[in-house]
Amino acid sequence: WRFMQAAETKMVLDALVSIGWVTEWKILDAGGDVLEQKRNIEQLEEWGMDALIIDPVSPDALIGDIERVTSEGIFTAICIEAPIPEPYGTLKNFGTIFSTNYFKSGYVQGKFVAEKLIEKYPPEQRKVAVIRGIAGAPSNIQRWEGAKYAIDQYADNGVEIVAAVDSGWSPSKARDDAADIIAAHPDVRGWVTQGAMMMSAIPLAIVGAGEDPGEHVMTGEDFVFNLKLQREHGFEMMMCANPQSQQALIVWRVVQALSGIP
């Protein structure tokens, strides 16, 4: 996902350079290190950037950096792991935020799983497992809160979350975690996964446990392999889009802002 996101962003930036709308650009990767990302921001300030697009490793830890850069007259655009602005959060001074509504993504997935379980199974089989992403990542937290909020609405119908793990957006870890959940909670029939290719790990883990994926309900992000598995096993499924083009689109928003285009 990140590789394709970067590729699309570079393609858009190169196109803007070719028509003279951007003179020069740089992409720095902090590798998940907050201190390295802070150093990256300082390097780009010294370089003389006019705008900063940032996908914060830790939004709260970088609020001071974002607000400092903004106060220097540099247009700041925040995407993906965006901090929450006032009045609900603490971010005060920034240019723009362009991000998926991860709470809603989690909510619609949780709602789908809950309603399908009620439709298909008696109360004792309306158990749900949630395969989350990276612990502490805002998108992970928001998706989890959305899914939990939705599923809790159906508690009177016997729908409940019996297991939730952080699998780091790793399909291999998600498969191992799903296998452990199946062993500990054989009554689980509903699965909410929070992105990347983790959903594809669920039917594989179910098959590995000697069960039929067709008896399960699952959700995740859009990924072609999920369609192949669904056709093969016939399970109930919903996929949500989390477009890799978010960063490329925010490049255009930045160009608009720098050019005085509303």
Side-chain angles (χ1 to χ4, degrees):
W1 193 91
R2 293 284 178 179
F3 176 83
M4 290 303 299
Q5 178 199 57
E8 290 185 14
T9 302
K10 292 174 183 177
M11 180 177 65
V12 170
L13 285 165
D14 283 339
L16 291 169
V17 169
S18 71
I19 61 175
W21 286 31
V22 171
T23 56
E24 194 175 357
W25 59 268
K26 288 188 178 184
I27 293 180
L28 302 181
D29 187 351
D33 185 328
V34 173
L35 294 179
E36 180 62 21
Q37 195 163 47
K38 286 176 174 287
R39 286 190 288 269
N40 286 347
I41 293 172
E42 292 172 357
Q43 291 169 18
L44 292 170
E45 286 178 280
E46 293 174 3
W47 175 58
M49 62 181 170
D50 296 302
L52 171 67
I53 297 173
I54 183 167
D55 176 3
V57 171
S58 171
D60 292 342
L62 290 161
I63 285 176
D65 302 87
I66 292 168
E67 293 188 337
R68 184 192 74 252
V69 169
T70 305
S71 69
E72 295 169 358
I74 297 168
F75 188 83
T76 51
I78 312 162
C79 61
I80 317 300
E81 302 294 350
I84 301 173
E86 288 188 323
Y88 305 104
T90 57
L91 180 66
K92 298 178 182 178
N93 194 16
F94 62 96
T96 188
I97 293 176
F98 194 99
S99 182
T100 294
N101 186 332
Y102 290 109
F103 181 92
K104 186 174 182 180
S105 175
Y107 175 83
V108 297
Q109 291 183 59
K111 185 174 187 290
F112 174 84
V113 168
E115 291 182 349
K116 284 297 180 182
L117 290 178
I118 292 169
E119 176 186 314
K120 293 168 67 72
Y121 297 110
E124 62 272 15
Q125 289 184 301
R126 297 172 185 172
K127 310 306 179 188
V128 182
V130 181
I131 305 294
R132 300 181 300 218
I134 294 175
S139 60
N140 184 51
I141 294 169
Q142 292 162 23
R143 277 187 272 207
W144 160 245
E145 290 178 347
K148 188 175 184 302
Y149 178 81
I151 291 167
D152 285 348
Q153 308 307 303
Y154 298 89
D156 291 344
N157 299 102
V159 183
E160 65 172 326
I161 297 171
V162 296
V165 295
D166 294 308
S167 298
W169 289 313
S170 165
S172 59
K173 188 174 187 311
R175 183 171 180 174
D176 291 341
D177 289 339
D180 291 341
I181 290 170
I182 293 167
H185 303 280
D187 52 350
V188 165
R189 291 295 179 272
W191 301 83
V192 175
T193 69
Q194 294 188 352
M197 298 183 291
M198 295 192 300
M199 178 181 152
S200 61
I202 306 306
L204 299 177
I206 294 169
V207 169
E211 296 186 16
D212 179 9
E215 297 179 355
H216 292 247
V217 179
M218 57 195 79
T219 70
E221 282 183 3
D222 52 332
F223 181 54
V224 173
F225 190 45
N226 292 335
L227 295 174
K228 180 179 183 297
L229 291 169
Q230 194 277 333
R231 288 177 180 175
E232 181 178 349
H233 298 290
F235 50 82
E236 296 275 5
M237 175 187 75
M238 183 184 75
M239 294 190 293
C240 292
N242 186 24
Q244 296 141 334
S245 57
Q246 290 176 76
Q247 202 169 74
L249 288 169
I250 206 170
V251 168
W252 173 241
R253 296 296 189 197
V254 167
V255 170
Q256 285 182 303
L258 294 178
S259 304
I261 301 172

